[in-house]
Amino acid sequence: MNQRRLAFLFLVILLACGPLASQELPALIPKPSKISMGKGSFTFDTATAFVVPAHSAQLSELAAMAAEEVHSITGFTPAIRRDKQPLAGKNVVVLRIAPALVRLGAEGYALEVGQPVILIEAPTAAGVWFGLQTFLQLLPPGAAGAPFAVPVLKIEDRPRFAWRGMHLDVCRHFFPVAFVKKYIDEIAMYKMNTFHWHLTDDQGWRIEIKRYPKLTAIGAWRSGTMVGAYSLQQFDSVRYGGFYTQNEVKEVVAYARKRHVTVVPEIEMPGHSLAALASYPELSCTGGPFEVAKGWGVFPDVFCPKETTVTFLQNILTEVCALFPGKYIHIGGDECPKDRWKTCPNCQALMKKLRLKNENQLQSYFVRRIEKFLNKKGKQMIGWDEILEGGLAPNAAVMSWRGTAGGIAAAKQRHKVVMSPGSHCYFDHYQGEPAFEPLAIGGYTTVDKVYSYEPIPAELKRSKTKYILGAQGNVWTEYIPNEQQVEYMAMPRMAALAEVLWSPKKGRDYADFQERLIRHFALLDKKQVNYSRSIFQVKLAMKPPPSKTGALVELSSPFGGTGIHYSLDGSPASPSSPQYAGPLPVIASSLLKFCYVDRGSVRGRVAEQAITVTKSTGKSIKLKTPPHENYPGDGAFTLVDGIRGDLTRYGKNWIGFWGPDLEAVIDLDRTEAFSRVSLDVFDGEGSWIYPPISIEVFVSNDGERFTSVKKLSADEIRRQAGSIRMDVGPQSARYVKVYAQNAGTIQAGKQGAGSASWLFVDEIMIE
Ligand code: ACM
Ligand code: ZN
């Protein structure tokens, strides 16, 4: 027998004996620490009941919640029986507390699917709850009341980290109690245990405080909201707001508690406090008046850390501590500009009296006062990593968001840390190619990037790793105006982070996770969760065509090339459209539609991309000055690649110059007749991007001596609002030069005053 036959035979034997021979592993997220599949199955039908010990009200309540879930997933409503000898039953799901299983810790559980009995046991009720979450993921969504099989298996499971958190900002946009509960359900489904509720910020104060009614009478409402990209600085004038009454807060806390989720409230101080200052301007350095913010960003007016402010915040925290039974209270602490403190007589006198060297120390003094107060109430303070600046309060925990350095520094000082670096844990970032995603704040944090996150920093000594409590995903809602969009941004990145936090590090494997995730989507569909399908998004790249004519489009999929289908003739892209088989030449302007098809169905979104083909498309182009390294696009080729930049947001289809002018020369390859030259320019004051103050077009036949054929003034450019068309009269030339003059130093009173302007340009079109 030759080597290959021998290897083949060996493989056959391996498959016959190995776990693959018994059953497919269920699509569990997060993946359990230990799972072994058996043979056969438990049949779930109308007679299947939950059984709990006769005396346990707590397990009865868990069983009742699980029964409701079973009903919504499968159509069956199992009965709940209290029984002195639960294990003696048949066709039952038994829940019990097993003190002997101490090895499973405070949240671990054991789950065994056998033939007459499914047993879920744990040393704590929390463990039974997490076991039930696993059980629910074993059920087939869409069983619709018909009996179904649950595969025989054994699981022993416990989490890797204690803090498995998700955050929600309800200030930039407000979400009602019913949605907050659904969000908590989603957190719980993935065995996460912490909900960080961001309740106060510049754009709204969202929690009723009995002692200070103006916080919600005034601070919960703003007179308009920023619309579209920050760079555009556009606002509506619709009154917007809302808040939670203390009764509603209690309802949410109780709801979460039943699901073993702890709610951590965040009351922002001393920065991000405009909504509070609009209500009580006397707590600022200047006295105001202020308005609740309509736009996003960081604002210079913050709490003045004087005695009256400290008393005010302590009174608020007294009410907050009474509402939230958890150990931690989050006090924000991030992004507090010190401008006002530097010129405030109160602040400066206080610094002198306390012998503080700088304003960071003043912030530290203030945070320590608050910490002492919280500690006296039996609470632990947690804050964003800026609370390290000027010296950390003695018992504070740190939430590391500006990368991981803050978390590392805090752990080295033996302080507890929750990791939430923007790079992996900010779920307000784009999760797919921005051009095919709804407007987001920026960034690029894909599901596999989240999954690749390791909360324990490599540079931390082993003796200090115990200070890393876990990690958290943050959902800031500046660009998330509604509930559907919250789910879209959070899911499935929340699932990826949940696995990072629960499952053993060893054995983490993205391909395996993704395969389970795709099967798990059926459960999210059943639960009507608006998760993102961006993992299926086909990627598009423009290539310089070897023929130097028209556009050349390259499509690619993370699942391989064979599932990509496209259309160029305006018809919808579908499984019956042409299959992509290599770079597509596009020789006339067209709307390209494309999608990913798996087993006959479109997965994810059908993307559309307008391709604009003119005489300049695909031609050689040279720039006198290269674009800035932060906005390089694809270099000069970006200007003739066939894709026009989006005038409502800048991205990789634009190239940016910070200071320099644009000077581009296109070689049309031969003498061509044309009468119009067009150029796209971006106008984005909020990002210091200003249109050019003049544009001039030149032509040449030798590429050396150029003749000016058109010049536009600043006014003419403004009037054309981004898409600049220049009628140059009948021309016949081989070379075309476009010169756009940078707006120069930004004038006083405008965003970015005193800095150089950015100039963003895209497609040069010659017709
Ligand atoms: C933050 O994102 N400002 C904590
Ligand atoms: Zn002050």
Side-chain angles (χ1 to χ4, degrees):
M1 200 183 282
N2 68 28
Q3 287 292 310
R4 272 186 45 201
R5 297 263 312 264
L6 198 65
F8 179 72
L9 194 68
F10 183 65
L11 186 70
V12 170
I13 294 167
L14 199 71
L15 287 173
C17 315
L20 290 172
S22 40
Q23 319 224 26
E24 183 186 36
L25 285 170
L28 297 172
I29 297 176
K31 184 169 158 175
S33 343
K34 277 190 214 158
I35 177 165
S36 56
M37 304 302 294
K39 293 217 167 70
S41 56
F42 174 101
T43 303
F44 200 111
D45 57 29
T46 47
T48 305
F50 279 107
V51 180
V52 298
H55 54 274
S56 178
Q58 202 175 17
L59 293 190
S60 291
E61 186 179 45
L62 291 188
M65 290 196 294
E68 242 179 73
E69 275 296 302
V70 170
H71 176 76
S72 73
I73 297 169
T74 68
F76 285 113
T77 310
I80 297 164
R81 294 210 308 263
R82 292 180 168 212
D83 200 330
K84 284 215 181 67
Q85 290 176 302
L87 277 175
K90 281 203 173 26
N91 193 5
V92 288
V93 181
V94 175
L95 309 186
R96 68 172 190 185
I97 302 285
L101 294 177
V102 280
R103 67 174 183 282
L104 298 173
E107 295 182 300
Y109 67 92
L111 186 160
E112 188 171 348
V113 179
Q115 249 141 9
V117 172
I118 295 177
L119 173 61
I120 301 173
E121 53 181 353
T124 64
V128 173
W129 166 257
F130 294 119
L132 279 168
Q133 301 317 302
T134 298
F135 166 74
L136 292 169
Q137 290 191 12
L138 293 171
L139 310 179
F148 57 86
V150 184
V152 166
L153 54 75
K154 259 189 189 173
I155 290 174
E156 252 202 45
D157 201 9
R158 58 180 297 174
R160 182 174 168 214
F161 289 100
W163 187 300
R164 304 182 302 278
M166 281 301 300
H167 149 289
L168 182 64
D169 166 14
V170 295
C171 303
R172 278 53 179 264
H173 285 98
F174 178 71
F175 304 96
V177 167
F179 179 73
V180 173
K181 288 181 177 172
K182 188 175 184 213
Y183 191 69
I184 290 169
D185 289 341
E186 290 161 12
I187 291 172
M189 169 171 55
Y190 295 121
K191 303 188 179 70
M192 294 178 117
N193 62 2
T194 306
F195 169 48
H196 173 168
W197 204 1
H198 183 80
L199 285 164
T200 75
D201 215 304
D202 299 305
Q203 296 79 6
W205 184 282
R206 306 278 178 235
I207 175 171
E208 178 189 24
I209 299 296
K210 305 265 191 204
R211 188 166 178 146
Y212 300 114
K214 284 195 282 184
L215 283 172
T216 43
I218 295 173
W221 306 95
R222 60 180 184 246
S223 60
T225 299
M226 181 173 263
V227 184
Y230 183 83
S231 55
L232 305 179
Q233 292 290 302
Q234 287 165 357
F235 300 85
D236 68 25
S237 52
V238 180
R239 180 174 146 93
Y240 183 93
F243 65 92
Y244 308 102
T245 64
Q246 292 202 354
N247 278 337
E248 288 173 323
V249 169
K250 285 180 198 156
E251 186 185 329
V252 168
V253 168
Y255 186 89
R257 194 176 202 177
K258 275 172 74 171
R259 287 156 182 81
H260 295 272
V261 171
T262 302
V263 185
V264 176
E266 180 180 354
I267 306 295
E268 274 269 19
M269 60 189 82
H272 285 294
S273 47
L274 257 186
L277 296 182
S279 319
Y280 297 94
E282 62 274 20
L283 304 174
S284 69
C285 291
T286 65
F290 307 104
E291 271 187 34
V292 179
K294 299 195 282 189
W296 322 130
V298 172
F299 299 89
D301 287 294
V302 301
F303 282 122
C304 178
K306 57 197 169 192
E307 206 52 34
T308 47
T309 306
V310 172
T311 305
F312 171 83
L313 289 168
Q314 289 180 344
N315 289 337
I316 288 172
L317 289 173
T318 297
E319 294 189 30
V320 169
C321 290
L323 289 166
F324 294 90
K327 184 160 82 170
Y328 285 98
I329 303 286
H330 201 302
I331 57 92
D334 59 319
E335 299 180 318
C336 179
K338 309 297 187 296
D339 314 36
R340 297 292 181 260
W341 294 4
K342 284 183 181 153
T343 55
C344 168
N346 272 320
C347 288
Q348 292 304 313
L350 189 56
M351 282 171 62
K352 205 159 172 194
K353 184 174 134 199
L354 300 168
R355 303 191 182 180
L356 304 177
K357 290 196 198 70
N358 54 45
E359 286 73 18
N360 279 345
Q361 290 187 355
L362 183 57
Q363 168 154 326
S364 176
Y365 149 81
F366 165 81
V367 171
R368 282 167 201 252
R369 290 280 310 269
I370 297 296
E371 170 169 83
K372 207 179 234 174
F373 181 80
L374 287 174
N375 287 170
K376 267 201 301 206
K377 295 204 162 287
K379 300 291 190 184
Q380 289 283 301
M381 187 179 83
I382 184 164
W384 300 109
D385 56 55
E386 285 93 331
I387 65 169
L388 282 152
E389 292 163 5
L392 198 49
N395 306 309
V398 169
M399 197 169 265
S400 190
W401 73 281
R402 296 174 304 172
T404 56
I408 294 167
K412 283 184 175 164
Q413 297 174 43
R414 299 187 161 78
H415 284 254
K416 298 207 165 117
V417 172
V418 174
M419 285 296 192
S420 196
S423 56
H424 295 77
C425 295
Y426 269 46
F427 299 167
D428 55 341
H429 290 179
Y430 285 107
Q431 58 195 309
E433 191 55 51
F436 307 124
E437 290 287 333
L439 179 68
I441 197 164
Y444 186 63
T445 305
T446 55
V447 176
D448 67 321
K449 183 156 187 199
V450 175
Y451 194 81
S452 74
Y453 184 55
E454 172 46 42
I456 304 282
E459 51 271 67
L460 206 56
K461 276 212 203 99
R462 264 189 93 102
S463 61
K464 297 294 191 309
T465 58
K466 61 173 184 253
Y467 294 105
I468 309 292
L469 298 178
Q472 178 175 291
N474 293 339
V475 181
W476 302 100
T477 57
E478 286 93 335
Y479 299 88
I480 303 183
N482 56 48
E483 299 166 10
Q484 291 73 26
Q485 191 63 8
V486 171
E487 291 188 334
Y488 180 86
M489 298 304 276
M491 306 282 254
R493 290 185 283 194
M494 185 196 294
L497 184 62
E499 185 149 314
V500 167
L501 291 169
W502 180 283
S503 307
K505 183 177 175 189
K506 193 167 165 273
R508 234 199 286 154
D509 172 14
Y510 181 70
D512 171 61
F513 170 76
Q514 183 175 263
E515 185 276 325
R516 278 179 283 122
L517 180 65
I518 291 169
R519 283 192 278 149
H520 170 75
F521 282 163
L523 181 60
L524 298 185
D525 287 330
K526 185 81 188 177
K527 288 174 171 286
Q528 302 190 332
V529 174
N530 183 41
Y531 61 94
S532 162
R533 280 104 170 140
S534 301
I535 59 165
F536 296 111
Q537 189 62 57
V538 172
K539 290 185 167 45
L540 174 147
M542 304 305 288
K543 298 287 161 188
S547 64
K548 292 200 187 303
T549 4
L552 188 62
V553 187
E554 188 179 87
L555 300 177
S556 59
S557 161
F559 298 94
T562 58
I564 302 172
H565 290 248
Y566 72 96
S567 81
L568 268 170
D569 60 4
S571 64
S574 72
S576 53
S577 315
Q579 194 174 22
Y580 175 81
L584 284 177
V586 181
I587 52 161
S589 293
S590 319
L591 183 60
L592 171 66
K593 301 181 186 176
F594 54 97
C595 59
Y596 182 74
V597 173
D598 177 35
R599 278 159 281 179
S601 313
V602 174
R603 306 302 302 254
R605 192 186 292 115
V606 176
E608 294 190 358
Q609 177 65 62
I611 314 277
T612 305
V613 177
T614 68
K615 291 189 172 172
S616 50
T617 312
K619 294 294 188 295
S620 297
I621 175 168
K622 289 206 168 73
L623 293 177
K624 185 164 177 202
T625 310
H628 191 273
E629 60 183 358
N630 291 0
Y631 298 96
D634 244 340
F637 172 63
T638 301
L639 302 183
V640 292
D641 63 358
I643 296 199
R644 298 180 63 180
D646 181 344
L647 292 173
T648 68
R649 46 171 146 152
Y650 59 94
K652 67 167 193 179
N653 294 321
W654 294 91
I655 56 175
F657 301 87
W658 197 16
D661 304 329
L662 164 76
E663 188 176 323
V665 176
I666 295 171
D667 178 356
L668 295 172
D669 234 19
R670 58 173 179 260
T671 303
E672 289 273 10
F674 57 91
S675 60
R676 180 189 290 157
V677 177
S678 306
L679 170 73
D680 293 327
V681 302
F682 193 85
D683 187 355
E685 173 167 356
S687 302
W688 309 4
I689 304 169
Y690 291 87
I693 48 177
S694 72
I695 304 176
E696 192 163 6
V697 178
F698 303 83
V699 298
S700 165
N701 273 315
D702 59 7
E704 285 172 11
R705 285 162 300 138
F706 282 88
T707 313
S708 172
V709 292
K710 184 79 182 182
K711 185 166 183 183
L712 289 192
S713 68
D715 275 352
E716 290 165 309
I717 294 167
R718 289 246 171 231
R719 228 175 292 132
Q720 295 203 37
S723 297
I724 314 292
R725 283 164 45 153
M726 293 165 284
D727 291 312
V728 295
Q731 299 293 334
S732 179
R734 174 166 169 180
Y735 298 92
V736 177
K737 175 154 82 180
V738 176
Y739 177 82
Q741 191 184 359
N742 190 296
T745 304
I746 301 170
Q747 290 166 20
K750 299 209 161 212
Q751 296 256 356
S755 156
S757 295
W758 282 93
L759 169 64
F760 269 60
V761 296
D762 188 30
E763 211 68 3
I764 298 175
M765 294 156 284
I766 299 177
E767 294 158 281

